[in-house]
Amino acid sequence: MGEVRVRASVVGLGYVGLVSAACLAEWGHEVVGIDADEGRLAALDEGQLPFFEPGLAELVAGVRSARRLRFAGPSPAAIGSAQVVFVAVGTHDGNGGWQTGSIRRSLAEIVPHMADDSTLVIRSTLPPDFIQSLPWLVSALRRKAGRREIPVLTNPEFTREGSAIRDYMEPDRIVMGIGFDPHGRGESMLRKIYRRASAPILVMHAADAALTKIGANLFLATKISFANELAQLCETYGADVDRVVAGMAYDPRIGPSFLRAGVGFGGSCLPHQVSMTVREASAVGLSVPLLAAVEEVNTRQRETFVERLWRASGARSGARIALLGLTFKPDTDDLREAPSLDIARALIERDAVVVAYDPMPRARVTAAATVAGLAVVDSATMALVDADAAGLVTEWREFALLDWEALGRLMRRRVVVDGRNALSPEAMRAAGFAYSAFGREGTLIAVDVGQPAGPAPLAELAEDGPVLRPALAFDAEAADTLRDVSVAASMFDREASSA
Ligand code: UGA
């Protein structure tokens, strides 16, 4: 395949923009990453990224030294020399709603300076009701500047934090949304850009592209809340959600992905897109009971976890609780909408002493500054010393590899509530722990208050809390065999380790 180099500018160097800029440069294009934040530009010039993404620092360093990526402010020169300009600025207001102020400002700044033969591509996730006006807005800005019309396309991203580079370089599909492209020039430019990606290219109206993006996230969120509701059923009827999902996953119509039960979804995308859709729907008089329930279940998971952890700790003022994991998922330092923050706040409100640890130093610093009263320490061991109970909130691999038998001796009581179903119940129980999780065999928690160090007894809660029944006893050996032979289970594991 011959080299096809395109001069591209990417406006907005956050998670979406910086990954796009680096990957485009890796494909051989000449890229200028543009941001108005001078501090961010200076740090990038010194090789410091504003967030952690596996492999990104190395990728950025490589393409910069090959002189295919440089960083600049939003100057007319940086914009005017590009054949294609990608816009990747934020569109949520940080409070469960959409905002279009940033993208409008950004367009006003760049569109007048774009070359007459260039193409504008919006990579940001856009509110669906903004889509129709987008080409008009761009056209008005061009006319006002006395310039020719340019093609306006959207190109939603489907990358996940933690595996963003692979998701970008090896996409499942490439969606091109057409806002204004009468001669197909914009589409052929985007096809040139993605020439090295071997994925189906779907060309559709920009409104369809916007809903494809949002629809995918809404569906993923729905799957997670479904798994959480299923976990509740499993607890009630004595089943194990992991085995149930593995059994269901053999059906290709269902599949194994995004059915991991636990404290629910966080991050900058799923929670916002669910809440924005629910909010928007109510504003225009639409009824979206399914999505409202997805949101409700997600909130309930955090509350249930807090309740279980609190009870597991002995439910007394001053109980010391270790929180393992702060980020909204592993392999990121992102705390946006991280369940850990709500969980820590709720426990502190109950007068618990909450000591948290996360492998990401930046997440530790941010969490300590965000949650009043939260103690943050530098190792899992420090968090667990003298703890009355531990709650696993983020399934960092490090936590599954801990020597729980040894660490249990440092805790006041060996009690773990696994909010991600990430630890082996058998191994934890063998290490002397009272272990509970979501929808897993033996998920019940009640621990005698004042119980001395060592394994705490499991008993049913009755009057003062929900009745949590033990799941049916099962044959551990048979279960292991089931895991070993289960294709679906191994797919599930792969998905879990790559997510
Ligand atoms: C999500 C989508 O997965 C991407 O496809 C999309 O491009 C991106 O949003 C976006 O719109 O930019 P991301 O926010 O990085 O990606 O995180 P996910 O991997 O989707 O995880 C979201 C949350 O769901 C995490 O808190 C995770 O722990 C939780 N989760 C995930 C579960 O609770 N159970 C699961 O089975 C899977």
Side-chain angles (χ1 to χ4, degrees):
M1 195 182 288
E3 278 287 280
V4 179
R5 279 188 180 212
V6 171
R7 286 190 312 281
S9 288
V10 179
V11 179
L13 297 174
Y15 285 88
V16 174
L18 191 53
V19 169
S20 304
C23 291
L24 288 171
E26 177 67 7
W27 272 335
H29 303 303
E30 280 172 45
V31 185
V32 186
I34 296 176
D35 203 290
D37 180 341
E38 285 174 12
R40 175 165 294 199
L41 291 176
L44 281 167
D45 275 334
E46 281 170 20
Q48 287 161 18
L49 269 48
F51 53 85
F52 172 79
E53 176 64 35
L56 188 58
E58 296 78 0
L59 185 65
V60 167
V63 288
R64 282 186 72 213
S65 68
R67 298 184 178 283
R68 291 199 302 273
L69 173 63
R70 66 185 176 87
F71 300 114
S75 68
I79 303 291
S81 58
Q83 295 167 280
V84 56
V85 176
F86 288 89
V87 177
V89 297
T91 48
H92 59 65
D93 67 1
N95 197 25
W98 292 104
Q99 57 86 14
T100 54
S102 311
I103 193 153
R104 286 175 193 277
R105 275 193 300 280
S106 194
L107 292 175
E109 195 164 26
I110 61 180
V111 165
H113 304 295
M114 287 178 63
D116 285 347
D117 58 355
S118 66
T119 295
L120 176 69
V121 181
I122 310 296
R123 186 103 175 126
S124 312
T125 301
L126 291 175
D129 66 355
F130 179 67
I131 294 287
Q132 306 293 354
S133 55
L134 173 70
W136 297 104
L137 184 65
V138 174
S139 164
L141 288 166
R142 294 296 288 179
R143 275 200 312 272
K144 196 168 162 215
R147 314 276 314 242
R148 281 171 53 188
E149 302 248 46
I150 48 171
V152 182
L153 281 81
T154 65
N155 176 219
E157 54 92 26
F158 301 98
T159 54
R160 291 161 297 175
E161 286 180 30
S163 56
I165 296 174
R166 195 185 58 209
D167 290 349
Y168 193 101
M169 307 288 284
E170 300 163 31
D172 303 323
R173 76 291 208 192
I174 293 163
V175 171
M176 299 179 183
I178 308 295
F180 173 77
D181 194 20
H183 310 294
R185 197 179 82 216
E187 182 188 329
S188 69
M189 170 54 74
L190 259 189
R191 284 182 181 273
K192 245 187 233 171
I193 287 272
Y194 285 113
R195 194 152 172 261
R196 300 218 5 216
S198 56
I201 292 182
L202 309 171
V203 181
M204 55 182 82
H205 188 276
D208 298 330
L211 266 299
T212 300
K213 161 73 190 182
I214 294 169
N217 277 354
L218 294 179
F219 185 63
L220 293 172
T222 304
K223 284 188 93 174
I224 298 168
S225 282
F226 171 83
N228 284 325
E229 196 118 307
L230 184 66
Q232 210 182 31
L233 290 176
C234 289
E235 285 171 19
T236 305
Y237 298 113
D240 180 296
V241 73
D242 295 347
R243 290 198 296 269
V244 170
V245 166
M248 289 165 53
Y250 275 102
D251 184 333
R253 292 170 303 175
I254 297 173
S257 307
F258 270 66
L259 289 172
R260 294 197 314 277
V263 292
F265 53 82
S268 67
C269 305
L270 268 48
H272 275 110
Q273 281 168 31
V274 173
S275 64
M276 289 190 274
T277 307
V278 171
R279 191 185 283 192
E280 203 87 343
S282 121
V284 297
L286 268 185
S287 160
V288 287
L290 177 64
L291 295 172
V294 167
E295 192 174 29
E296 187 187 323
V297 170
N298 203 47
T299 306
R300 190 187 64 195
Q301 290 309 105
R302 296 177 189 197
E303 292 166 355
T304 303
F305 183 73
V306 167
E307 191 58 34
R308 289 182 178 181
L309 194 47
W310 174 240
R311 285 172 184 282
S313 74
R316 58 173 179 83
S317 164
R320 189 178 159 116
I321 297 178
L323 282 190
L324 298 182
L326 290 163
T327 54
F328 83 97
K329 68 174 186 178
D331 292 326
T332 176
D333 57 5
D334 198 345
L335 285 174
R336 289 176 292 175
E337 289 297 320
S340 65
L341 302 180
D342 279 351
I343 289 165
R345 282 191 197 101
L347 289 168
I348 291 166
E349 227 162 76
R350 292 178 188 211
D351 217 15
V353 176
V354 183
V355 187
Y357 165 71
D358 189 278
M360 280 287 156
R362 189 150 30 193
R364 296 204 290 271
V365 173
T366 312
T370 310
V371 180
L374 176 67
V376 179
V377 292
D378 290 343
S379 72
T381 306
M382 285 164 77
L384 290 167
V385 169
D386 282 341
D388 291 292
L392 189 149
V393 187
T394 315
E395 67 277 32
W396 286 97
R397 200 168 150 65
E398 170 179 336
F399 301 143
L401 299 176
L402 289 175
D403 181 350
W404 283 99
E405 153 57 39
L407 288 170
R409 283 189 234 121
L410 303 177
M411 295 174 69
R412 279 199 61 235
R413 300 138 100 233
R414 296 188 202 191
V415 183
V416 165
V417 182
D418 182 352
R420 293 292 185 183
N421 289 5
L423 304 172
S424 152
E426 294 82 10
M428 293 308 290
R429 291 193 183 113
F433 275 82
Y435 172 85
S436 91
F438 281 93
R440 273 185 153 181
E441 180 259 345
T443 290
L444 78 171
I445 6 173
V447 179
D448 280 352
V449 177
Q451 171 76 12
L458 298 176
E460 276 204 9
L461 285 177
E463 280 143 32
D464 58 342
V467 177
L468 302 169
R469 294 193 286 148
L472 298 177
F474 76 102
D475 177 346
E477 207 176 306
D480 284 341
T481 314
L482 180 85
R483 276 207 188 89
D484 288 345
V485 298
S486 164
V487 175
S490 67
M491 283 164 71
F492 180 80
D493 285 340
R494 267 207 305 283
E495 188 267 337
S497 64
S498 70

